[in-house]
Amino acid sequence: MARPRLAVFKFASCDGCQLSLLDCEDELLAVVGEVEIANFLEASREVQKGPYDLSLVEGSITTSHDAERIQQVRKQSRFLVTIGACATAGGIQALRNFKDVREFTAAVYATPEYVSTLEASTPISQHVRVDFELRGCPISKLQLLEVLGAFLRQRRPNIPSYPVCLECKRTGTVCVMAAHGTPCLGPVTQAGCGALCPSYHRGCFGCFGPAEAPNTASLGSWWETRLGATRPELVRAFRSFNAYAAPFRTASDAYEHDRP
Ligand code: SF4
Ligand code: SF4
């Protein structure tokens, strides 16, 4: 029986999430045994034409050319899975969405008039139907393998939507916020990293994006009243890799405009 055909596409991004697939190392051989890698420029110059059974899409939409290209990718893909903070939430480049992007291009480029870009960096789901979103900056390779395994077995991926705090409890990691007063976004951030930062005595800065139904108001209130955080500090905390994810965007907007 023919193996399902896999394609990997890149939009505005750093390539880190695609690298997570190559980083699978030993497991990669098993993946290659089960799927035909038909289009993956990071790994091979050989590009086979679509249609594809599964497309992994990294990166956000930041140009009109990419806004057209993602439509073609969708048409060629039976299943389309977005991987990483850029593809699922617009990425760090979505910081432009809160300002005038021309201010950034003028500050960075000698001839900004040559730069053709959209006003906003947007997630793939804002442009086409997405079958599953895998979060992280970068994604976890174990979660990527779970998504690939689920696709091959035709079941729903078992990816948690609960917060990082649960991983602290499971791994016996001491809470840096309760024990040391270190600001931590773990209560509102989706699990998947194994509570990596708290295990090194650092607060989570939200790289896996919002957990399901995150109570950002309660966390913000705790940061303000117990940790002495200022409103600008709260704005910066919610505006990082997943700044344009709806719950973090709403929270940072509220703190920027001094709403409770
Ligand atoms: S260290 Fe952060 S993620 Fe871990 S339990 Fe405390 S608040 Fe939650
Ligand atoms: S603890 Fe938070 S910032 Fe650190 S790797 Fe995990 S999700 Fe990312």
Side-chain angles (χ1 to χ4, degrees):
M1 200 172 79
R3 289 172 295 164
R5 306 180 79 227
L6 174 74
V8 183
F9 293 98
K10 173 188 160 64
F11 288 80
S13 59
C14 74
D15 285 33
C17 291
Q18 293 183 62
L19 282 174
S20 299
L21 183 54
L22 295 177
D23 191 34
C24 288
E25 296 174 346
D26 293 346
E27 295 91 344
L28 189 58
L29 293 176
V31 170
V32 170
E34 299 244 7
V35 299
E36 179 188 0
I37 299 184
N39 184 347
F40 184 14
L41 280 173
E42 187 99 5
S44 169
R45 276 179 298 177
E46 187 192 338
V47 174
Q48 297 172 25
K49 287 192 174 148
Y52 309 107
D53 294 297
L54 173 63
S55 291
L56 302 177
V57 177
E58 176 197 83
S60 68
I61 303 299
T62 57
T63 65
S64 49
H65 173 252
D66 278 355
E68 287 167 21
R69 190 162 64 96
I70 190 61
Q71 301 296 335
Q72 298 309 315
V73 170
R74 178 68 262 188
K75 277 185 196 147
Q76 295 181 88
S77 311
R78 193 156 65 89
F79 287 97
L80 189 155
V81 171
T82 50
I83 56 171
C86 301
T88 59
I92 194 75
Q93 59 273 28
L95 289 176
R96 70 168 69 178
N97 304 1
F98 301 92
K99 303 280 179 195
D100 182 349
V101 69
R102 282 163 298 204
E103 286 178 31
F104 292 113
T105 51
V108 173
Y109 298 102
T111 46
E113 58 274 21
Y114 292 164
V115 178
S116 170
T117 188
L118 296 173
E119 290 288 324
S121 167
T122 43
I124 300 298
S125 61
Q126 209 161 307
H127 298 263
V128 294
R129 180 174 55 81
V130 168
D131 295 300
F132 191 78
E133 292 186 314
L134 185 62
R135 298 224 182 98
C137 184
I139 54 170
S140 146
K141 69 175 187 180
L142 293 178
Q143 288 196 338
L144 179 60
L145 288 168
E146 163 60 19
V147 168
L148 292 173
F151 164 74
L152 289 165
R153 305 289 170 258
Q154 298 181 34
R155 62 171 172 79
R156 195 173 166 71
N158 184 12
I159 301 293
S161 57
Y162 51 73
V164 178
C165 292
L166 238 78
E167 295 191 303
C168 279
K169 304 299 173 248
R170 283 191 178 143
T171 54
T173 301
V174 172
C175 175
V176 297
M177 195 149 69
H180 308 296
T182 305
C184 182
L185 285 181
V188 296
T189 300
Q190 183 170 295
C193 65
L196 190 60
C197 298
S199 74
Y200 285 95
H201 315 294
R202 301 199 50 176
C204 168
F205 45 93
C207 77
F208 268 64
E212 190 176 4
N215 193 339
T216 52
S218 172
L219 183 70
S221 163
W222 180 284
W223 278 36
E224 281 187 300
T225 55
R226 309 284 185 103
L227 308 180
T230 63
R231 297 252 155 155
E233 284 170 341
L234 280 161
V235 174
R236 283 198 293 277
F238 284 111
R239 280 193 191 157
S240 63
F241 318 98
N242 291 282
Y244 207 56
F248 288 3
R249 184 190 344 156
T250 307
S252 75
D253 274 346
Y255 290 117
E256 183 171 48
H257 299 104
D258 235 5
R259 293 194 297 268

